[in-house]
Amino acid sequence: MAEKEGSTRRILVTGGSGLVGKAIERIVNEGEKRPDETWIFLSSRDGDLTNTAETKAVFEKHRPTHIIHLAAMVGGLFRNLKYNLDFWRNNVHINDNILHCAYEYGVQKVVSCLSTCIFPDKTSYPIDETMIHNGPPHHSNFGYSYAKRMIDVQNRGYHEQHGCMFTAVIPTNVFGPFDNYNIEDGHVLPGLIHKAYLAKKNGTPLNIWGTGKPRRQFIYSLDLAQLFIWVLREYKEIDPIILSVGEEDEVSIKEAAESIVECMDFKGEVIFDTSKSDGQFKKTASNSKLKKYLPEFRFTPFKQAIKESCDWFVANYDIARK
């Protein structure tokens, strides 16, 4: 699996039309692309990655040397609660197909995307990369969480048995342009942005599910894109790495909502519907490993990133996923 000097890299990004894929594409197109790199961004229209034959056809067509694996069945808290089995089965099929094809086709490096929701529900904080398998994940999304954990298991297996350079990153809560703004099934920030847009347009209260007390570390998709490219080029460990803002930058859902209200210039009433579930109260992650590697990396300030995300949604309302 050693890299040949002077050879051209063909970098395949699965899930290339999603939130993180679009951010990587933007960073690459804005000057990060190197002369020896060809970037290929796949969307679900290019093949069903739960299907082994279709996945092999993608590899036959593109012959990648490197992969950033983002494709997954994803959803917010309420969709996970309803479809845990589907999240497990679909993601296990996707991940197994991608990693085994990568092995069969001699791919030099794969960087897969995990999530902080895969960590044990009952744990000490902050969580770090060594704690993934220390206990069951939160019951609300056990299907997705266990499927994602298995990527770490497979990475180790492919490395030990076949010498493959397969690794993974663990971002905290990602947001930014090209997010899924579906109010029922999306994640918290894009859902709130969409709700605030509609409440402002219709002159109705902004209804926020839950108490607003849970705390999260949010990472802007364009920051994450830069870090993904660094991991692909420079990171040499099989063990995963958490990509996150620091513990000191954790914010409550209420604080995040207040930032969105301000950026959307919403002047109406804000109501917290405490009959709705909060999910996990916190899942604070340590980014000390990242800081050791990249001590000078500067994240986009949260309010600036929220403003850019709100502005993108308003300007692209007709084409935004919702």
Side-chain angles (χ1 to χ4, degrees):
M1 297 287 166
E3 215 164 307
K4 302 180 191 75
E5 284 300 318
S7 59
T8 301
R9 292 178 165 206
R10 295 181 56 77
I11 303 164
L12 183 70
V13 181
T14 72
S17 62
L19 168 64
V20 181
K22 282 290 189 186
I24 293 172
E25 186 174 26
R26 178 170 155 186
I27 296 294
V28 165
N29 290 339
E30 287 181 354
E32 192 56 47
K33 181 179 179 291
R34 291 179 177 175
D36 65 342
E37 292 175 346
T38 300
W39 288 78
I40 303 142
F41 292 86
L42 281 190
S43 78
S44 54
R45 291 188 300 276
D46 296 305
D48 175 6
L49 299 181
T50 65
N51 180 293
T52 305
E54 289 194 35
T55 307
K56 283 189 174 180
V58 164
F59 277 73
E60 279 290 337
K61 179 179 178 181
H62 295 294
R63 294 282 172 169
T65 61
H66 296 70
I67 295 173
I68 291 178
H69 175 38
L70 307 173
M73 178 183 177
V74 297
L77 171 64
F78 298 96
R79 190 168 178 222
N80 271 278
L81 280 165
K82 277 195 294 190
Y83 300 114
N84 263 301
L85 177 63
D86 294 353
F87 277 95
W88 159 258
R89 296 192 71 232
N90 287 326
N91 285 311
V92 162
H93 289 317
I94 291 168
N95 300 334
D96 189 55
N97 285 336
I98 288 293
L99 293 178
H100 199 63
C101 282
Y103 159 64
E104 288 185 325
Y105 283 81
V107 171
Q108 292 164 21
K109 187 170 183 180
V110 180
V111 181
S112 296
C113 191
L114 309 185
S115 162
T116 48
C117 72
I118 74 174
F119 282 96
D121 181 33
K122 293 180 171 55
T123 187
S124 55
Y125 293 99
I127 46 184
D128 65 38
E129 293 85 353
T130 67
M131 299 160 71
I132 294 172
H133 303 285
N134 285 2
H138 194 263
H139 68 88
S140 64
N141 60 358
F142 69 86
Y144 177 84
S145 298
Y146 278 122
K148 285 289 189 181
R149 282 187 189 187
M150 290 305 105
I151 291 178
D152 181 53
V153 173
Q154 286 175 283
N155 286 347
R156 279 187 278 152
Y158 278 106
H159 179 67
E160 288 181 16
Q161 199 165 321
H162 301 297
C164 299
M165 183 63 220
F166 296 173
T167 189
V169 304
I170 310 172
T172 45
N173 294 58
V174 192
F175 71 100
F178 294 97
D179 211 334
N180 177 3
Y181 293 85
N182 186 290
I183 289 169
E184 295 292 326
D185 291 340
H187 288 106
V188 60
L189 289 189
L192 285 174
I193 290 170
H194 192 181
K195 280 183 174 183
Y197 175 91
L198 293 176
K200 181 181 176 182
K201 181 182 170 189
N202 299 328
T204 53
L206 172 57
N207 193 298
I208 299 169
W209 293 344
T211 64
K213 290 176 183 174
R215 303 186 67 79
R216 296 289 182 265
Q217 286 155 295
F218 293 104
I219 182 169
Y220 191 33
S221 59
L222 296 174
D223 294 340
L224 179 59
Q226 291 180 306
L227 292 170
F228 248 110
I229 293 167
W230 169 78
V231 169
L232 183 76
R233 291 172 178 164
E234 308 295 341
Y235 184 68
K236 301 290 194 272
E237 295 185 43
I238 302 300
D239 289 336
I241 183 169
I242 290 170
L243 303 181
S244 174
V245 298
E247 298 161 52
E248 68 280 1
D249 294 314
E250 197 171 50
V251 297
S252 71
I253 303 302
K254 184 174 186 289
E255 290 164 338
E258 286 165 353
S259 294
I260 290 167
V261 163
E262 184 183 328
C263 292
M264 295 291 279
D265 196 30
F266 176 72
K267 306 293 188 190
E269 185 184 5
V270 178
I271 298 167
F272 287 88
D273 181 358
T274 55
S275 70
K276 291 279 199 283
S277 170
D278 269 339
Q280 280 175 281
F281 175 68
K282 63 188 271 181
K283 38 186 181 179
T284 314
S286 167
N287 71 347
S288 59
K289 185 174 182 177
L290 174 64
K291 283 199 288 195
K292 279 179 193 151
Y293 276 108
L294 295 175
E296 302 304 315
F297 189 83
R298 293 289 170 265
F299 290 93
T300 306
F302 181 66
K303 280 199 171 177
Q304 180 188 330
I306 286 287
K307 181 78 171 76
E308 290 177 16
S309 302
C310 289
D311 289 350
W312 183 90
F313 180 69
V314 172
N316 295 279
Y317 184 78
D318 290 340
I319 63 158
R321 284 186 294 162
K322 54 190 184 299

